[in-house]
C-alpha cells in the first residue's frame, strides 16, 4: 500500500493508557516526517478526517465504530489499536503496534473492505452503519409492531422487543447475542434478527446485498427509536418509514499482513477445539 503522509488519531481517553500510547505513536510518526493530529469527539465529527491519508483508532470497537462513517466518506483506511475488551475491529494490540508502526506507516498492511448499511429516513436524513441498525420502542418498556418489506414485497409484521439489521461485520456484535447468524465479512448480505419475538417461529433472515428493505411503523401512536452502531439515534414517528440497504461505499480496514478472519473469531469467541496441523 501507499505510505501514509498525513495521519489522524482517534482517541478514547477513557481507556487506560490510550493517551500515553498515542503520544508514543505520534512521536514515531513525527520521526518519519509524518504529520498527525488528535480527534477525541464521538462520534467523529463529519469533516474531521479531511486531508489525512489514514486514521488510527486507539480504543475499543466502539471507538472504531465512531470513526467508521467519516472514514468511509473520506475513503481512507482505518488502523485499529485495541485498548478495549474484545477488539473484533481493533485487531492490532497495544503491545505490538509500536514495533509495527513504522512498517504500517510505510504501507505494510493489507486493506480489507467491509460493507456498510445505508439508513434513510423520510426527512432525507441519510447515515451509514458498519455494525447494525437497531429499532426499538422509544419507551424501552414496550414491545413494537413493525411491518417489513423487501423490494416492496411484504415480509411480515414483527411483534417483538426490537429488530436488528446487521452487516457481516456486525454479525459478531449485538445480533450474535440475540441469536443471529455469523456471516463471513465478504458476504455483503444483511441479516434481520428479531429480539424476543412473540411468534417463536420468527427467526433470522439473510437478505442479498442488492435488497432494498423498508420498515414501517405498524401501530398507531407508537414511537420508535433507531440506533446506528449504538451511537447515532433517529426517531420514527407514526406514518413514517425507514429504508435500509447495503451502501455502495465500503470501509477500508488496515489489517496485519497475516490477518486471518477465523483466527480472530476463534480467539475472541473462545471457540474450543483445534486444528491438528496447528502448532
Amino acid at each position: 500500500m501507499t505510505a501514509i503522509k498525513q495521519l489522524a488519531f482517534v482517541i478514547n481517553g477513557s481507556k487506560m493508557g490510550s493517551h500515553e500510547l498515542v503520544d508514543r505513536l505520534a512521536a514515531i510518526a513525527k520521526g518519519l516526517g509524518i504529520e498527525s493530529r488528535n480527534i477525541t469527539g464521538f462520534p467523529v465529527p463529519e469533516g474531521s478526517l479531511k486531508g489525512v491519508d489514514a486514521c488510527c483508532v486507539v480504543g475499543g470497537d466502539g471507538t472504531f465504530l465512531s470513526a467508521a462513517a467519516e472514514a468511509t466518506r473520506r475513503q481512507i483506511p482505518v488502523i485499529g489499536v485495541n485498548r478495549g475488551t474484545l477488539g473484533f475491529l481493533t485487531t492490532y494490540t497495544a503491545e505490538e503496534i509500536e514495533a509495527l508502526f513504522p512498517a504500517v506507516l510505510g504501507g505494510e498492511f493489507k486493506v480489507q473492505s467491509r460493507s456498510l448499511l445505508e439508513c434513510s429516513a423520510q426527512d432525507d436524513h441519510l447515515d451509514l452503519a458498519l455494525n447494525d441498525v437497531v429499532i426499538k420502542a422509544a419507551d424501552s418498556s414496550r414491545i413494537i409492531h413493525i411491518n417489513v418489506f423487501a423490494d416492496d414485497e411484504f415480509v411480515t409484521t414483527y411483534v417483538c422487543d426490537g429488530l436488528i439489521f446487521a452487516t457481516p461485520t456486525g454479525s459478531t456484535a449485538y445480533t450474535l447475542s440475540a441469536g443471529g447468524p455469523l456471516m463471513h465479512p465478504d458476504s455483503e448480505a444483511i441479516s434481520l434478527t428479531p429480539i424476543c419475538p412473540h411468534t417463536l417461529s420468527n427467526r433470522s433472515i439473510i437478505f442479498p446485498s442488492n435488497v432494498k428493505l423498508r420498515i414501517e411503523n405498524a401501530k398507531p401512536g407508537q414511537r420508535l427509536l433507531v440506533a446506528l452502531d449504538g451511537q447515532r439515534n433517529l426517531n420514527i414517528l407514526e406514518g413514517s418509514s425507514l429504508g435500509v440497504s447495503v451502501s455502495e461505499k465500503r470501509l477500508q480496514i488496515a489489517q496485519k499482513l497475516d490477518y486471518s478472519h477465523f483466527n480472530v473469531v476463534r480467539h475472541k469467541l473462545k471457540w474450543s477445539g483445534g486444528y491438528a496441523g496447528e502448532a
Side-chain angles (χ1 to χ4, degrees):
M1 298 300 299
T2 304
I4 297 167
K5 298 300 183 185
Q6 300 280 340
L7 179 67
F9 289 101
V10 176
I11 313 164
N12 187 337
S14 68
K15 304 296 183 180
M16 185 177 297
S18 58
H19 281 291
E20 293 80 0
L21 178 58
V22 168
D23 288 343
R24 295 194 296 272
L25 295 179
I28 293 172
K30 185 177 180 180
L32 296 171
I34 298 169
E35 296 182 8
S36 66
R37 63 174 183 259
N38 294 350
I39 299 171
T40 56
F42 300 104
V44 169
E46 189 167 347
S48 60
L49 297 180
K50 183 178 181 180
V52 301
D53 304 315
C55 168
C56 181
V57 172
V58 179
D61 284 346
T63 315
F64 191 102
L65 289 170
S66 77
E70 178 62 10
T72 300
R73 297 185 190 102
R74 299 295 170 184
Q75 285 296 284
I76 58 172
V78 182
I79 307 160
V81 181
N82 188 28
R83 294 298 298 176
T85 50
L86 277 177
F88 273 104
L89 297 170
T90 50
T91 53
Y92 287 92
T93 67
E95 293 73 24
E96 70 187 351
I97 189 60
E98 290 184 64
L100 294 176
F101 209 48
V104 171
L105 295 176
E108 289 190 27
F109 58 86
K110 64 179 179 181
V111 170
Q112 185 179 53
S113 296
R114 296 289 182 96
S115 62
L116 298 94
L117 296 181
E118 186 173 272
C119 183
S120 57
Q122 281 188 336
D123 59 0
D124 295 328
H125 183 94
L126 189 67
D127 210 336
L128 298 172
L130 176 61
N131 263 4
D132 47 43
V133 175
V134 178
I135 303 176
K136 290 185 175 182
D139 181 346
S140 60
S141 65
R142 295 181 179 273
I143 62 173
I144 60 173
H145 298 69
I146 295 181
N147 295 328
V148 175
F149 297 82
D151 294 327
D152 292 325
E153 179 181 357
F154 178 60
V155 176
T156 192
T157 299
Y158 286 95
V159 180
C160 54
D161 285 358
L163 290 179
I164 307 172
F165 298 87
T167 65
T169 299
S171 69
T172 54
Y174 189 8
T175 189
L176 179 64
S177 299
L182 289 178
M183 296 189 288
H184 191 277
D186 293 339
S187 61
E188 296 195 354
I190 303 176
S191 69
L192 164 56
T193 300
I195 304 170
C196 299
H198 279 221
T199 300
L200 295 182
S201 60
N202 281 156
R203 289 293 182 262
S204 297
I205 300 175
I206 304 295
F207 293 100
S209 60
N210 61 347
V211 73
K212 304 295 183 185
L213 298 173
R214 187 173 81 254
I215 299 95
E216 293 184 349
N217 198 331
K219 185 177 181 181
Q222 176 178 247
R223 292 177 61 89
L224 302 175
L225 179 68
V226 182
L228 288 85
D229 284 340
Q231 298 183 353
R232 301 178 304 283
N233 296 334
L234 302 171
N235 283 306
I236 297 182
L237 306 178
E238 182 182 352
S240 61
S241 65
L242 187 78
V244 174
S245 60
V246 175
S247 173
E248 294 181 356
K249 299 178 180 179
R250 299 290 181 271
L251 174 67
Q252 302 174 34
I253 302 180
Q255 303 283 22
K256 289 176 283 188
L257 296 177
D258 62 351
Y259 172 83
S260 163
H261 169 69
F262 288 110
N263 184 52
V264 171
V265 171
R266 284 195 307 272
H267 176 68
K268 302 299 182 181
L269 296 183
K270 303 185 186 304
W271 283 355
S272 61
Y275 171 51
E278 291 181 337

